[in-house]
Amino acid sequence: MIKKTKIEVKNLNKTIGDKQILSNISFKLRPEDHLVIIGSSGAGKSMLIKCLLGLEDLSSGSIFFENNLVSGNEDKRRLLNKLGVCFQSNALFDSYKTWENIAFKTLYNERSPNISKLKKLAIERLEEVGLPRNIAEHYPSELSGGMQKRVGIARSIFSEPDVLIFDEPTTGLDPIMSKKIISLIGKIIENSKKTAITITHDINLAMLLASKIILLDSGKIEWTGSPTKALLSKNKLLKVFLNG
């Protein structure tokens, strides 16, 4: 049975002033696909994610979620509720405790949230990402960089979203912690069977976890294919990434 399309991007263009940031970007993701987007700084990776999240308007082109066009603000809000995002900087709130950060989206969107229930679920998510229960009452400043990254991942999976998005999940981490985070993301995606998109410059992450790779260069898709095809490709820029 052919799986239906989860996300489709058609001919997406983004222009700021007279500068073309993204040019004619198109791709499809089916359920359980893991798309990894690689490219050098300034290639357009983060802008593409901002467009998917509705944080930036498209200059032209279309985004479809489960075959439905995402057009107005109401559509964007519905899509956001289906997404779980782990931001590059973790985007944790310093004045909120760890468990409040994890449950933030639900905690502050509901009129009368069940605090004890949300805290219990947040602690369960902590354990899923390999962190001890007792840090639930800690503030982000009391956590190491690796722990903060795991808290960001815990928040992204808190509400069991349909699609997971990881923005540079290994940036700023040492090689040992990077390997642990890559392993954790792989485990989460495998166990949850979610559709996922990861932006990264870490070719190891792409080769280990991706079902599909897109190489962006100057806002355009330079190459796309599976990790197996990447190893056989003669694309010069892709070879630069593969060779580190």
Side-chain angles (χ1 to χ4, degrees), residues 44-81:
K45 304 187 302 297
S46 292
M47 179 59 75
L48 177 55
I49 291 301
K50 288 178 181 178
C51 290
L52 289 174
L53 294 175
L55 301 177
E56 291 279 351
D57 292 328
L58 312 184
S59 298
S60 63
S62 307
I63 296 173
F64 296 83
F65 182 72
E66 295 182 338
N67 300 321
N68 295 310
L69 177 65
V70 179
S71 54
N73 289 331
E74 194 60 37
D75 289 340
K76 291 179 181 178
R77 278 192 288 269
R78 277 196 292 268
L79 176 57
L80 275 175
N81 287 332

PDB file of all heavy atoms in Angstrom, residues 44-81:
ATOM      1  N   GLY A  44      20.477  28.517   3.374  1.00  0.00           N
ATOM      2  CA  GLY A  44      19.017  28.661   3.382  1.00  0.00           C
ATOM      3  C   GLY A  44      18.308  27.628   4.236  1.00  0.00           C
ATOM      4  O   GLY A  44      17.077  27.565   4.231  1.00  0.00           O
ATOM      5  N   LYS A  45      19.055  26.828   4.995  1.00  0.00           N
ATOM      6  CA  LYS A  45      18.457  25.750   5.788  1.00  0.00           C
ATOM      7  C   LYS A  45      17.477  26.290   6.835  1.00  0.00           C
ATOM      8  O   LYS A  45      16.338  25.831   6.926  1.00  0.00           O
ATOM      9  CB  LYS A  45      19.556  24.928   6.487  1.00  0.00           C
ATOM     10  CG  LYS A  45      20.604  24.335   5.570  1.00  0.00           C
ATOM     11  CD  LYS A  45      21.545  23.400   6.292  1.00  0.00           C
ATOM     12  CE  LYS A  45      22.291  24.013   7.453  1.00  0.00           C
ATOM     13  NZ  LYS A  45      23.196  25.118   7.044  1.00  0.00           N
ATOM     14  N   SER A  46      17.922  27.250   7.614  1.00  0.00           N
ATOM     15  CA  SER A  46      17.071  27.784   8.688  1.00  0.00           C
ATOM     16  C   SER A  46      15.865  28.531   8.125  1.00  0.00           C
ATOM     17  O   SER A  46      14.769  28.460   8.685  1.00  0.00           O
ATOM     18  CB  SER A  46      17.887  28.706   9.600  1.00  0.00           C
ATOM     19  OG  SER A  46      18.852  27.961  10.319  1.00  0.00           O
ATOM     20  N   MET A  47      16.056  29.242   7.015  1.00  0.00           N
ATOM     21  CA  MET A  47      14.930  29.947   6.401  1.00  0.00           C
ATOM     22  C   MET A  47      13.874  28.966   5.923  1.00  0.00           C
ATOM     23  O   MET A  47      12.668  29.224   6.053  1.00  0.00           O
ATOM     24  CB  MET A  47      15.412  30.810   5.233  1.00  0.00           C
ATOM     25  CG  MET A  47      14.287  31.567   4.522  1.00  0.00           C
ATOM     26  SD  MET A  47      13.365  32.679   5.620  1.00  0.00           S
ATOM     27  CE  MET A  47      14.570  34.011   5.790  1.00  0.00           C
ATOM     28  N   LEU A  48      14.293  27.825   5.393  1.00  0.00           N
ATOM     29  CA  LEU A  48      13.345  26.818   4.943  1.00  0.00           C
ATOM     30  C   LEU A  48      12.498  26.330   6.101  1.00  0.00           C
ATOM     31  O   LEU A  48      11.266  26.189   5.977  1.00  0.00           O
ATOM     32  CB  LEU A  48      14.095  25.648   4.291  1.00  0.00           C
ATOM     33  CG  LEU A  48      13.255  24.457   3.828  1.00  0.00           C
ATOM     34  CD1 LEU A  48      12.143  24.899   2.886  1.00  0.00           C
ATOM     35  CD2 LEU A  48      14.147  23.417   3.150  1.00  0.00           C
ATOM     36  N   ILE A  49      13.119  26.087   7.260  1.00  0.00           N
ATOM     37  CA  ILE A  49      12.376  25.642   8.431  1.00  0.00           C
ATOM     38  C   ILE A  49      11.427  26.735   8.918  1.00  0.00           C
ATOM     39  O   ILE A  49      10.279  26.462   9.293  1.00  0.00           O
ATOM     40  CB  ILE A  49      13.335  25.214   9.550  1.00  0.00           C
ATOM     41  CG1 ILE A  49      14.051  23.934   9.162  1.00  0.00           C
ATOM     42  CG2 ILE A  49      12.591  25.012  10.869  1.00  0.00           C
ATOM     43  CD1 ILE A  49      13.141  22.752   8.884  1.00  0.00           C
ATOM     44  N   LYS A  50      11.874  27.986   8.892  1.00  0.00           N
ATOM     45  CA  LYS A  50      11.003  29.097   9.301  1.00  0.00           C
ATOM     46  C   LYS A  50       9.772  29.179   8.405  1.00  0.00           C
ATOM     47  O   LYS A  50       8.666  29.469   8.876  1.00  0.00           O
ATOM     48  CB  LYS A  50      11.772  30.414   9.267  1.00  0.00           C
ATOM     49  CG  LYS A  50      12.786  30.562  10.381  1.00  0.00           C
ATOM     50  CD  LYS A  50      13.560  31.870  10.255  1.00  0.00           C
ATOM     51  CE  LYS A  50      14.602  32.001  11.352  1.00  0.00           C
ATOM     52  NZ  LYS A  50      15.389  33.248  11.226  1.00  0.00           N
ATOM     53  N   CYS A  51       9.948  28.913   7.120  1.00  0.00           N
ATOM     54  CA  CYS A  51       8.812  28.906   6.193  1.00  0.00           C
ATOM     55  C   CYS A  51       7.856  27.755   6.523  1.00  0.00           C
ATOM     56  O   CYS A  51       6.631  27.926   6.505  1.00  0.00           O
ATOM     57  CB  CYS A  51       9.300  28.796   4.753  1.00  0.00           C
ATOM     58  SG  CYS A  51      10.133  30.275   4.120  1.00  0.00           S
ATOM     59  N   LEU A  52       8.416  26.585   6.836  1.00  0.00           N
ATOM     60  CA  LEU A  52       7.578  25.434   7.189  1.00  0.00           C
ATOM     61  C   LEU A  52       6.793  25.689   8.469  1.00  0.00           C
ATOM     62  O   LEU A  52       5.651  25.249   8.609  1.00  0.00           O
ATOM     63  CB  LEU A  52       8.441  24.181   7.353  1.00  0.00           C
ATOM     64  CG  LEU A  52       9.033  23.569   6.086  1.00  0.00           C
ATOM     65  CD1 LEU A  52       9.981  22.427   6.437  1.00  0.00           C
ATOM     66  CD2 LEU A  52       7.931  23.060   5.160  1.00  0.00           C
ATOM     67  N   LEU A  53       7.413  26.409   9.412  1.00  0.00           N
ATOM     68  CA  LEU A  53       6.772  26.691  10.692  1.00  0.00           C
ATOM     69  C   LEU A  53       5.800  27.872  10.613  1.00  0.00           C
ATOM     70  O   LEU A  53       5.119  28.176  11.587  1.00  0.00           O
ATOM     71  CB  LEU A  53       7.835  26.984  11.758  1.00  0.00           C
ATOM     72  CG  LEU A  53       8.744  25.823  12.150  1.00  0.00           C
ATOM     73  CD1 LEU A  53       9.822  26.295  13.116  1.00  0.00           C
ATOM     74  CD2 LEU A  53       7.942  24.687  12.765  1.00  0.00           C
ATOM     75  N   GLY A  54       5.775  28.545   9.478  1.00  0.00           N
ATOM     76  CA  GLY A  54       4.895  29.707   9.347  1.00  0.00           C
ATOM     77  C   GLY A  54       5.458  30.961   9.968  1.00  0.00           C
ATOM     78  O   GLY A  54       4.749  31.960  10.131  1.00  0.00           O
ATOM     79  N   LEU A  55       6.744  30.936  10.338  1.00  0.00           N
ATOM     80  CA  LEU A  55       7.386  32.110  10.929  1.00  0.00           C
ATOM     81  C   LEU A  55       7.791  33.112   9.859  1.00  0.00           C
ATOM     82  O   LEU A  55       8.046  34.278  10.153  1.00  0.00           O
ATOM     83  CB  LEU A  55       8.615  31.681  11.738  1.00  0.00           C
ATOM     84  CG  LEU A  55       8.346  30.701  12.882  1.00  0.00           C
ATOM     85  CD1 LEU A  55       9.645  30.288  13.556  1.00  0.00           C
ATOM     86  CD2 LEU A  55       7.390  31.306  13.897  1.00  0.00           C
ATOM     87  N   GLU A  56       7.893  32.641   8.620  1.00  0.00           N
ATOM     88  CA  GLU A  56       8.186  33.509   7.473  1.00  0.00           C
ATOM     89  C   GLU A  56       7.173  33.220   6.373  1.00  0.00           C
ATOM     90  O   GLU A  56       6.838  32.064   6.118  1.00  0.00           O
ATOM     91  CB  GLU A  56       9.596  33.251   6.931  1.00  0.00           C
ATOM     92  CG  GLU A  56      10.723  33.697   7.842  1.00  0.00           C
ATOM     93  CD  GLU A  56      10.994  35.191   7.738  1.00  0.00           C
ATOM     94  OE1 GLU A  56      10.421  35.848   6.832  1.00  0.00           O
ATOM     95  OE2 GLU A  56      11.786  35.689   8.553  1.00  0.00           O
ATOM     96  N   ASP A  57       6.667  34.274   5.753  1.00  0.00           N
ATOM     97  CA  ASP A  57       5.742  34.106   4.629  1.00  0.00           C
ATOM     98  C   ASP A  57       6.514  33.696   3.379  1.00  0.00           C
ATOM     99  O   ASP A  57       7.675  34.097   3.191  1.00  0.00           O
ATOM    100  CB  ASP A  57       4.986  35.409   4.350  1.00  0.00           C
ATOM    101  CG  ASP A  57       4.032  35.766   5.470  1.00  0.00           C
ATOM    102  OD1 ASP A  57       3.501  34.838   6.109  1.00  0.00           O
ATOM    103  OD2 ASP A  57       3.828  36.973   5.713  1.00  0.00           O
ATOM    104  N   LEU A  58       5.861  32.912   2.526  1.00  0.00           N
ATOM    105  CA  LEU A  58       6.468  32.527   1.262  1.00  0.00           C
ATOM    106  C   LEU A  58       6.334  33.674   0.266  1.00  0.00           C
ATOM    107  O   LEU A  58       5.321  34.356   0.231  1.00  0.00           O
ATOM    108  CB  LEU A  58       5.774  31.292   0.683  1.00  0.00           C
ATOM    109  CG  LEU A  58       5.537  30.084   1.604  1.00  0.00           C
ATOM    110  CD1 LEU A  58       4.938  28.944   0.800  1.00  0.00           C
ATOM    111  CD2 LEU A  58       6.802  29.661   2.289  1.00  0.00           C
ATOM    112  N   SER A  59       7.368  33.868  -0.545  1.00  0.00           N
ATOM    113  CA  SER A  59       7.240  34.826  -1.646  1.00  0.00           C
ATOM    114  C   SER A  59       6.382  34.220  -2.752  1.00  0.00           C
ATOM    115  O   SER A  59       5.600  34.909  -3.404  1.00  0.00           O
ATOM    116  CB  SER A  59       8.622  35.205  -2.187  1.00  0.00           C
ATOM    117  OG  SER A  59       9.382  35.836  -1.176  1.00  0.00           O
ATOM    118  N   SER A  60       6.541  32.914  -2.953  1.00  0.00           N
ATOM    119  CA  SER A  60       5.676  32.157  -3.862  1.00  0.00           C
ATOM    120  C   SER A  60       5.861  30.680  -3.553  1.00  0.00           C
ATOM    121  O   SER A  60       6.780  30.285  -2.847  1.00  0.00           O
ATOM    122  CB  SER A  60       6.020  32.443  -5.329  1.00  0.00           C
ATOM    123  OG  SER A  60       7.335  32.022  -5.633  1.00  0.00           O
ATOM    124  N   GLY A  61       4.963  29.860  -4.100  1.00  0.00           N
ATOM    125  CA  GLY A  61       5.021  28.429  -3.849  1.00  0.00           C
ATOM    126  C   GLY A  61       3.974  28.000  -2.835  1.00  0.00           C
ATOM    127  O   GLY A  61       3.169  28.811  -2.361  1.00  0.00           O
ATOM    128  N   SER A  62       3.977  26.708  -2.518  1.00  0.00           N
ATOM    129  CA  SER A  62       2.935  26.152  -1.652  1.00  0.00           C
ATOM    130  C   SER A  62       3.498  25.118  -0.695  1.00  0.00           C
ATOM    131  O   SER A  62       4.488  24.442  -0.985  1.00  0.00           O
ATOM    132  CB  SER A  62       1.837  25.478  -2.500  1.00  0.00           C
ATOM    133  OG  SER A  62       1.340  26.355  -3.483  1.00  0.00           O
ATOM    134  N   ILE A  63       2.839  24.999   0.467  1.00  0.00           N
ATOM    135  CA  ILE A  63       3.130  23.947   1.435  1.00  0.00           C
ATOM    136  C   ILE A  63       1.835  23.200   1.712  1.00  0.00           C
ATOM    137  O   ILE A  63       0.792  23.814   1.981  1.00  0.00           O
ATOM    138  CB  ILE A  63       3.699  24.523   2.742  1.00  0.00           C
ATOM    139  CG1 ILE A  63       5.051  25.199   2.494  1.00  0.00           C
ATOM    140  CG2 ILE A  63       3.862  23.420   3.801  1.00  0.00           C
ATOM    141  CD1 ILE A  63       5.605  25.935   3.700  1.00  0.00           C
ATOM    142  N   PHE A  64       1.897  21.874   1.615  1.00  0.00           N
ATOM    143  CA  PHE A  64       0.729  21.030   1.889  1.00  0.00           C
ATOM    144  C   PHE A  64       1.029  20.135   3.088  1.00  0.00           C
ATOM    145  O   PHE A  64       2.138  19.605   3.211  1.00  0.00           O
ATOM    146  CB  PHE A  64       0.403  20.143   0.686  1.00  0.00           C
ATOM    147  CG  PHE A  64      -0.015  20.900  -0.546  1.00  0.00           C
ATOM    148  CD1 PHE A  64       0.929  21.436  -1.408  1.00  0.00           C
ATOM    149  CD2 PHE A  64      -1.368  21.076  -0.833  1.00  0.00           C
ATOM    150  CE1 PHE A  64       0.548  22.124  -2.546  1.00  0.00           C
ATOM    151  CE2 PHE A  64      -1.756  21.765  -1.977  1.00  0.00           C
ATOM    152  CZ  PHE A  64      -0.799  22.299  -2.826  1.00  0.00           C
ATOM    153  N   PHE A  65       0.048  19.985   3.976  1.00  0.00           N
ATOM    154  CA  PHE A  65       0.161  19.051   5.089  1.00  0.00           C
ATOM    155  C   PHE A  65      -0.968  18.043   4.973  1.00  0.00           C
ATOM    156  O   PHE A  65      -2.139  18.407   4.980  1.00  0.00           O
ATOM    157  CB  PHE A  65       0.073  19.776   6.430  1.00  0.00           C
ATOM    158  CG  PHE A  65       0.230  18.866   7.614  1.00  0.00           C
ATOM    159  CD1 PHE A  65       1.468  18.321   7.931  1.00  0.00           C
ATOM    160  CD2 PHE A  65      -0.853  18.525   8.399  1.00  0.00           C
ATOM    161  CE1 PHE A  65       1.624  17.470   9.013  1.00  0.00           C
ATOM    162  CE2 PHE A  65      -0.714  17.675   9.485  1.00  0.00           C
ATOM    163  CZ  PHE A  65       0.535  17.142   9.795  1.00  0.00           C
ATOM    164  N   GLU A  66      -0.600  16.783   4.817  1.00  0.00           N
ATOM    165  CA  GLU A  66      -1.575  15.701   4.601  1.00  0.00           C
ATOM    166  C   GLU A  66      -2.513  16.051   3.452  1.00  0.00           C
ATOM    167  O   GLU A  66      -3.734  15.927   3.560  1.00  0.00           O
ATOM    168  CB  GLU A  66      -2.333  15.388   5.886  1.00  0.00           C
ATOM    169  CG  GLU A  66      -1.422  14.826   6.975  1.00  0.00           C
ATOM    170  CD  GLU A  66      -2.157  14.452   8.254  1.00  0.00           C
ATOM    171  OE1 GLU A  66      -3.265  14.991   8.481  1.00  0.00           O
ATOM    172  OE2 GLU A  66      -1.614  13.640   9.030  1.00  0.00           O
ATOM    173  N   ASN A  67      -1.914  16.541   2.364  1.00  0.00           N
ATOM    174  CA  ASN A  67      -2.599  16.871   1.105  1.00  0.00           C
ATOM    175  C   ASN A  67      -3.491  18.106   1.182  1.00  0.00           C
ATOM    176  O   ASN A  67      -4.201  18.417   0.226  1.00  0.00           O
ATOM    177  CB  ASN A  67      -3.420  15.675   0.601  1.00  0.00           C
ATOM    178  CG  ASN A  67      -2.547  14.463   0.340  1.00  0.00           C
ATOM    179  OD1 ASN A  67      -1.436  14.586  -0.168  1.00  0.00           O
ATOM    180  ND2 ASN A  67      -3.038  13.279   0.694  1.00  0.00           N
ATOM    181  N   ASN A  68      -3.445  18.831   2.311  1.00  0.00           N
ATOM    182  CA  ASN A  68      -4.228  20.055   2.449  1.00  0.00           C
ATOM    183  C   ASN A  68      -3.308  21.267   2.370  1.00  0.00           C
ATOM    184  O   ASN A  68      -2.283  21.330   3.059  1.00  0.00           O
ATOM    185  CB  ASN A  68      -4.977  20.072   3.791  1.00  0.00           C
ATOM    186  CG  ASN A  68      -6.016  18.979   3.882  1.00  0.00           C
ATOM    187  OD1 ASN A  68      -6.845  18.816   2.981  1.00  0.00           O
ATOM    188  ND2 ASN A  68      -5.987  18.211   4.960  1.00  0.00           N
ATOM    189  N   LEU A  69      -3.678  22.233   1.531  1.00  0.00           N
ATOM    190  CA  LEU A  69      -2.879  23.434   1.361  1.00  0.00           C
ATOM    191  C   LEU A  69      -2.853  24.248   2.651  1.00  0.00           C
ATOM    192  O   LEU A  69      -3.901  24.512   3.252  1.00  0.00           O
ATOM    193  CB  LEU A  69      -3.451  24.286   0.227  1.00  0.00           C
ATOM    194  CG  LEU A  69      -2.763  25.635  -0.036  1.00  0.00           C
ATOM    195  CD1 LEU A  69      -1.327  25.445  -0.507  1.00  0.00           C
ATOM    196  CD2 LEU A  69      -3.569  26.446  -1.055  1.00  0.00           C
ATOM    197  N   VAL A  70      -1.658  24.640   3.087  1.00  0.00           N
ATOM    198  CA  VAL A  70      -1.506  25.521   4.245  1.00  0.00           C
ATOM    199  C   VAL A  70      -1.471  26.948   3.711  1.00  0.00           C
ATOM    200  O   VAL A  70      -0.511  27.351   3.061  1.00  0.00           O
ATOM    201  CB  VAL A  70      -0.204  25.201   5.021  1.00  0.00           C
ATOM    202  CG1 VAL A  70      -0.049  26.153   6.202  1.00  0.00           C
ATOM    203  CG2 VAL A  70      -0.198  23.752   5.490  1.00  0.00           C
ATOM    204  N   SER A  71      -2.550  27.703   3.975  1.00  0.00           N
ATOM    205  CA  SER A  71      -2.638  29.033   3.365  1.00  0.00           C
ATOM    206  C   SER A  71      -2.757  30.145   4.410  1.00  0.00           C
ATOM    207  O   SER A  71      -1.838  30.918   4.619  1.00  0.00           O
ATOM    208  CB  SER A  71      -3.812  29.101   2.382  1.00  0.00           C
ATOM    209  OG  SER A  71      -5.013  28.714   3.015  1.00  0.00           O
ATOM    210  N   GLY A  72      -3.874  30.222   5.108  1.00  0.00           N
ATOM    211  CA  GLY A  72      -4.096  31.314   6.052  1.00  0.00           C
ATOM    212  C   GLY A  72      -3.504  31.046   7.425  1.00  0.00           C
ATOM    213  O   GLY A  72      -2.910  30.005   7.688  1.00  0.00           O
ATOM    214  N   ASN A  73      -3.675  32.024   8.327  1.00  0.00           N
ATOM    215  CA  ASN A  73      -3.139  31.913   9.685  1.00  0.00           C
ATOM    216  C   ASN A  73      -3.739  30.743  10.454  1.00  0.00           C
ATOM    217  O   ASN A  73      -3.063  30.108  11.258  1.00  0.00           O
ATOM    218  CB  ASN A  73      -3.380  33.217  10.451  1.00  0.00           C
ATOM    219  CG  ASN A  73      -2.514  34.353   9.941  1.00  0.00           C
ATOM    220  OD1 ASN A  73      -1.422  34.121   9.434  1.00  0.00           O
ATOM    221  ND2 ASN A  73      -2.991  35.578  10.070  1.00  0.00           N
ATOM    222  N   GLU A  74      -5.011  30.460  10.214  1.00  0.00           N
ATOM    223  CA  GLU A  74      -5.662  29.355  10.915  1.00  0.00           C
ATOM    224  C   GLU A  74      -5.031  28.023  10.499  1.00  0.00           C
ATOM    225  O   GLU A  74      -4.793  27.142  11.332  1.00  0.00           O
ATOM    226  CB  GLU A  74      -7.164  29.352  10.608  1.00  0.00           C
ATOM    227  CG  GLU A  74      -7.986  28.457  11.534  1.00  0.00           C
ATOM    228  CD  GLU A  74      -7.884  28.846  12.990  1.00  0.00           C
ATOM    229  OE1 GLU A  74      -7.824  30.052  13.295  1.00  0.00           O
ATOM    230  OE2 GLU A  74      -7.836  27.916  13.830  1.00  0.00           O
ATOM    231  N   ASP A  75      -4.739  27.877   9.211  1.00  0.00           N
ATOM    232  CA  ASP A  75      -4.058  26.669   8.719  1.00  0.00           C
ATOM    233  C   ASP A  75      -2.675  26.536   9.345  1.00  0.00           C
ATOM    234  O   ASP A  75      -2.240  25.444   9.717  1.00  0.00           O
ATOM    235  CB  ASP A  75      -3.911  26.716   7.194  1.00  0.00           C
ATOM    236  CG  ASP A  75      -5.229  26.537   6.473  1.00  0.00           C
ATOM    237  OD1 ASP A  75      -6.174  26.012   7.090  1.00  0.00           O
ATOM    238  OD2 ASP A  75      -5.313  26.909   5.293  1.00  0.00           O
ATOM    239  N   LYS A  76      -1.967  27.669   9.456  1.00  0.00           N
ATOM    240  CA  LYS A  76      -0.622  27.649  10.041  1.00  0.00           C
ATOM    241  C   LYS A  76      -0.677  27.232  11.506  1.00  0.00           C
ATOM    242  O   LYS A  76       0.178  26.462  11.977  1.00  0.00           O
ATOM    243  CB  LYS A  76       0.029  29.028   9.912  1.00  0.00           C
ATOM    244  CG  LYS A  76       0.386  29.406   8.481  1.00  0.00           C
ATOM    245  CD  LYS A  76       0.998  30.796   8.429  1.00  0.00           C
ATOM    246  CE  LYS A  76       1.334  31.179   6.989  1.00  0.00           C
ATOM    247  NZ  LYS A  76       1.901  32.555   6.908  1.00  0.00           N
ATOM    248  N   ARG A  77      -1.682  27.709  12.234  1.00  0.00           N
ATOM    249  CA  ARG A  77      -1.821  27.331  13.644  1.00  0.00           C
ATOM    250  C   ARG A  77      -2.104  25.843  13.789  1.00  0.00           C
ATOM    251  O   ARG A  77      -1.561  25.173  14.671  1.00  0.00           O
ATOM    252  CB  ARG A  77      -2.927  28.157  14.312  1.00  0.00           C
ATOM    253  CG  ARG A  77      -2.487  29.539  14.758  1.00  0.00           C
ATOM    254  CD  ARG A  77      -3.512  30.189  15.663  1.00  0.00           C
ATOM    255  NE  ARG A  77      -4.686  30.585  14.913  1.00  0.00           N
ATOM    256  CZ  ARG A  77      -4.852  31.769  14.351  1.00  0.00           C
ATOM    257  NH1 ARG A  77      -3.883  32.670  14.439  1.00  0.00           N
ATOM    258  NH2 ARG A  77      -5.951  32.080  13.704  1.00  0.00           N
ATOM    259  N   ARG A  78      -2.964  25.321  12.907  1.00  0.00           N
ATOM    260  CA  ARG A  78      -3.265  23.887  12.957  1.00  0.00           C
ATOM    261  C   ARG A  78      -2.021  23.060  12.669  1.00  0.00           C
ATOM    262  O   ARG A  78      -1.779  22.030  13.308  1.00  0.00           O
ATOM    263  CB  ARG A  78      -4.380  23.545  11.956  1.00  0.00           C
ATOM    264  CG  ARG A  78      -5.792  23.809  12.477  1.00  0.00           C
ATOM    265  CD  ARG A  78      -6.827  23.101  11.615  1.00  0.00           C
ATOM    266  NE  ARG A  78      -6.907  23.685  10.282  1.00  0.00           N
ATOM    267  CZ  ARG A  78      -7.750  24.663   9.952  1.00  0.00           C
ATOM    268  NH1 ARG A  78      -8.577  25.153  10.855  1.00  0.00           N
ATOM    269  NH2 ARG A  78      -7.776  25.132   8.715  1.00  0.00           N
ATOM    270  N   LEU A  79      -1.228  23.516  11.695  1.00  0.00           N
ATOM    271  CA  LEU A  79       0.000  22.798  11.368  1.00  0.00           C
ATOM    272  C   LEU A  79       0.981  22.846  12.535  1.00  0.00           C
ATOM    273  O   LEU A  79       1.583  21.827  12.891  1.00  0.00           O
ATOM    274  CB  LEU A  79       0.647  23.403  10.118  1.00  0.00           C
ATOM    275  CG  LEU A  79       2.008  22.812   9.709  1.00  0.00           C
ATOM    276  CD1 LEU A  79       1.909  21.308   9.495  1.00  0.00           C
ATOM    277  CD2 LEU A  79       2.528  23.497   8.449  1.00  0.00           C
ATOM    278  N   LEU A  80       1.129  24.010  13.167  1.00  0.00           N
ATOM    279  CA  LEU A  80       2.047  24.140  14.295  1.00  0.00           C
ATOM    280  C   LEU A  80       1.689  23.184  15.431  1.00  0.00           C
ATOM    281  O   LEU A  80       2.562  22.660  16.119  1.00  0.00           O
ATOM    282  CB  LEU A  80       2.048  25.582  14.816  1.00  0.00           C
ATOM    283  CG  LEU A  80       2.983  26.562  14.103  1.00  0.00           C
ATOM    284  CD1 LEU A  80       2.795  27.962  14.647  1.00  0.00           C
ATOM    285  CD2 LEU A  80       4.435  26.136  14.243  1.00  0.00           C
ATOM    286  N   ASN A  81       0.397  22.956  15.626  1.00  0.00           N
ATOM    287  CA  ASN A  81      -0.041  22.037  16.668  1.00  0.00           C
ATOM    288  C   ASN A  81       0.333  20.592  16.358  1.00  0.00           C
ATOM    289  O   ASN A  81       0.325  19.743  17.247  1.00  0.00           O
ATOM    290  CB  ASN A  81      -1.557  22.143  16.873  1.00  0.00           C
ATOM    291  CG  ASN A  81      -1.960  23.420  17.591  1.00  0.00           C
ATOM    292  OD1 ASN A  81      -1.175  23.968  18.363  1.00  0.00           O
ATOM    293  ND2 ASN A  81      -3.164  23.902  17.336  1.00  0.00           N
TER     294      ASN A  81
END
